[in-house]
Amino acid sequence: MVEIEVVDKTDNTIRLFIRGVDVSFVNTLRRLILTEIPSMAVDDVVILENSSVLNDEILVHRLGLTPLTTDLDSYNLPEECPCQSEFGCNLCRVALALNVEAVEGTRTVYSGDLVSENPDVKPVSDRICIVKLVQDQKVKLEAYARLGKGKVHAKWQPVSMCAYKFFPQIKIDGKLCDACEDCVKVCPKAVFVKVGDKIEVRNVTDCTLCEDCMDACAKDPSAVELTWDKNAFIFDIESTGALPVERLVRESLNILDKKLKSFLKNLKKVK
Amino acid sequence: MEVNVIIIPVRCFTCGSLIGDKWEDFAMRIKQGEDAGNVLDSLGMKRYCCRRMLLSHVEIIDEILKFYEETKKRETP
């Protein structure tokens, strides 16, 4: 039985405990989140005027890397869109306009100056510096955002961190341990605490499985026994803001489902 | 290796998290004499890859813009 527990959740991060699955399954989820979940990013830019000190390519690169909030349900991937047009249609493309001139002295152009045709698709933050302009310099352009996948370009990756580790299991042998505190001193994550004349394990989820505590223990065999549960994982996801984190987990499972179904379909053809 | 970054990068080179919106706040608070480590913590930057992006950044565009500003000043009498 698969058990999933949400341990910690903020706007852009989530920490899950996943129990009862093996490492290949969790790794599949990780790889799907990194490479297969579509998100919005600027892909084509028409530059009408650019008198800033940054050249067009750098400006466009910065626009491309700007994370955009994604409305997954209303848009199609360009390759799956019925329009099949190279330029795109309303179902697979969003236009964002940028028209800024420094009228009074030097000014910074922020991502908030981008005007999107769809208010649901806009930069995650309004305060991203795009370029700085001296008086009379001007940037005027139209950017086209499309859905894309992380395997094509990292700008379409909806996460800035997506990683898992085995669930640590630390046991201290009370008979062997003389509370010398060597493990307390050596642990980089402060997993051990001395309480009275005993060493206790706290924050077991912070453990990085480095095994320094076992090496530091003077006893032979070591009084600290560090192992890990091969079927339980601590899964961390940090979204760029393009999609909500819960949606990322759900979407990765949908994609896995789709992939398995098409695999099964093709397998039947072989028979 | 010298990396020519004349304006704060939009994302962290290593992990891809957004840093382009944090630079101005960071630079202002450092100028006021706050401890860089504390500022980074309060901006929610946990990993050392993102932290070095802000810590080691020099906003060269500000220096370049001075030439243009000066030219502008001399144009108008």
Side-chain angles (χ1 to χ4, degrees):
Chain A
M1 216 7 224
V2 184
E3 256 179 70
I4 299 182
E5 187 189 333
V6 179
V7 199
D8 190 26
K9 192 182 165 299
T10 61
D11 286 348
N12 279 334
T13 62
I14 198 168
R15 172 169 268 207
L16 306 168
F17 288 168
I18 305 179
R19 291 192 179 84
V21 290
D22 61 357
V23 66
S24 54
F25 178 78
V26 189
N27 196 38
T28 309
L29 283 193
R30 182 186 71 85
R31 292 188 55 160
L32 287 173
I33 292 173
L34 283 172
T35 59
E36 291 284 346
I37 299 180
S39 64
M40 276 283 179
V42 169
D43 193 26
D44 269 331
V45 178
V46 178
I47 294 190
L48 303 166
E49 198 176 336
N50 175 21
S51 51
S52 75
V53 292
L54 295 188
N55 41 23
D56 296 358
E57 289 85 348
I58 292 183
L59 195 65
V60 169
H61 185 233
R62 294 180 70 80
L63 288 171
L65 287 177
T66 307
L68 304 174
T69 53
T70 303
D71 180 3
L72 261 190
D73 306 308
S74 328
Y75 289 96
N76 299 325
L77 277 162
E79 57 268 29
E80 289 166 11
C81 189
C83 73
Q84 286 301 317
S85 128
E86 199 188 327
F87 192 63
C89 68
N90 283 338
L91 289 172
C92 60
R93 179 201 54 171
V94 184
L96 297 108
L98 183 68
N99 186 5
V100 181
E101 186 177 1
V103 185
E104 279 175 38
T106 307
R107 71 162 281 183
T108 308
V109 182
Y110 293 104
S111 53
D113 293 317
L114 280 163
V115 185
S116 172
E117 64 176 0
N118 179 353
D120 289 339
V121 179
K122 60 171 187 8
V124 164
S125 163
D126 283 344
R127 301 286 299 168
I128 307 168
C129 302
I130 302 213
V131 66
K132 286 179 184 170
L133 302 176
V134 172
Q135 190 168 350
D136 296 342
Q137 286 183 346
K138 194 176 177 188
V139 172
K140 189 177 180 187
L141 54 85
E142 192 158 55
Y144 298 101
R146 291 196 180 90
L147 282 181
K149 291 177 178 175
K151 64 181 174 185
V152 180
H153 192 294
K155 68 184 175 184
W156 280 305
Q157 228 169 253
V159 288
S160 51
M161 194 247 317
C162 179
Y164 61 86
K165 65 181 176 192
F166 289 112
F167 204 99
Q169 291 171 324
I170 308 169
K171 273 185 222 142
I172 297 174
D173 191 332
K175 282 177 199 158
L176 275 173
C177 181
D178 58 3
C180 66
E181 283 191 88
D182 282 349
C183 51
V184 181
K185 281 176 214 147
V186 80
C187 181
K189 294 286 177 183
V191 170
F192 302 97
V193 181
K194 189 176 181 179
V195 182
D197 57 350
K198 267 183 168 175
I199 303 287
E200 279 184 16
V201 178
R202 303 263 169 91
N203 327 318
V204 69
T205 52
D206 286 352
C207 177
T208 58
L209 309 175
C210 69
E211 298 190 338
D212 277 359
C213 46
M214 283 170 78
D215 295 338
C217 191
K219 300 282 171 298
D220 191 32
S222 168
V224 187
E225 195 198 350
L226 171 64
T227 52
W228 44 90
D229 186 344
K230 289 207 170 61
N231 293 308
F233 300 88
I234 301 171
F235 200 97
D236 282 303
I237 305 172
E238 181 184 283
S239 164
T240 56
L243 286 161
V245 266
E246 321 83 335
R247 182 73 197 262
L248 289 171
V249 182
R250 212 172 313 135
E251 209 57 42
S252 66
L253 290 168
N254 283 341
I255 292 168
L256 180 62
D257 201 39
K258 252 188 237 164
K259 283 190 181 291
L260 289 175
K261 272 183 187 148
S262 84
F263 179 65
L264 210 62
K265 212 171 100 188
N266 286 304
L267 202 65
K268 275 177 189 157
K269 274 188 213 157
V270 176
K271 251 201 306 189
Chain B
M1 189 186 76
E2 191 188 333
V3 186
N4 283 311
V5 191
I6 72 168
I7 186 166
I8 183 74
V10 177
R11 295 199 194 203
C12 168
F13 288 162
T14 303
C15 71
S17 86
L18 185 63
I19 53 162
D21 59 341
K22 300 187 178 78
W23 168 253
E24 288 194 338
D25 198 13
F26 175 80
M28 197 190 69
R29 287 167 70 179
I30 292 297
K31 221 175 179 180
Q32 286 168 355
E34 268 189 73
D35 178 63
N38 292 340
V39 180
L40 288 169
D41 286 339
S42 75
L43 289 170
M45 311 189 72
K46 285 180 221 142
R47 290 183 291 276
Y48 58 63
C49 58
C50 315
R51 291 167 79 94
R52 62 91 206 256
M53 294 300 293
L54 292 186
L55 269 180
S56 62
H57 179 65
V58 178
E59 191 86 336
I60 305 173
I61 194 167
D62 288 342
E63 307 302 315
I64 299 170
L65 289 187
K66 281 178 192 160
F67 290 96
Y68 291 83
E69 281 167 351
E70 201 55 41
T71 320
K72 218 64 284 147
K73 262 186 226 161
R74 287 174 196 200
E75 266 173 21
T76 45

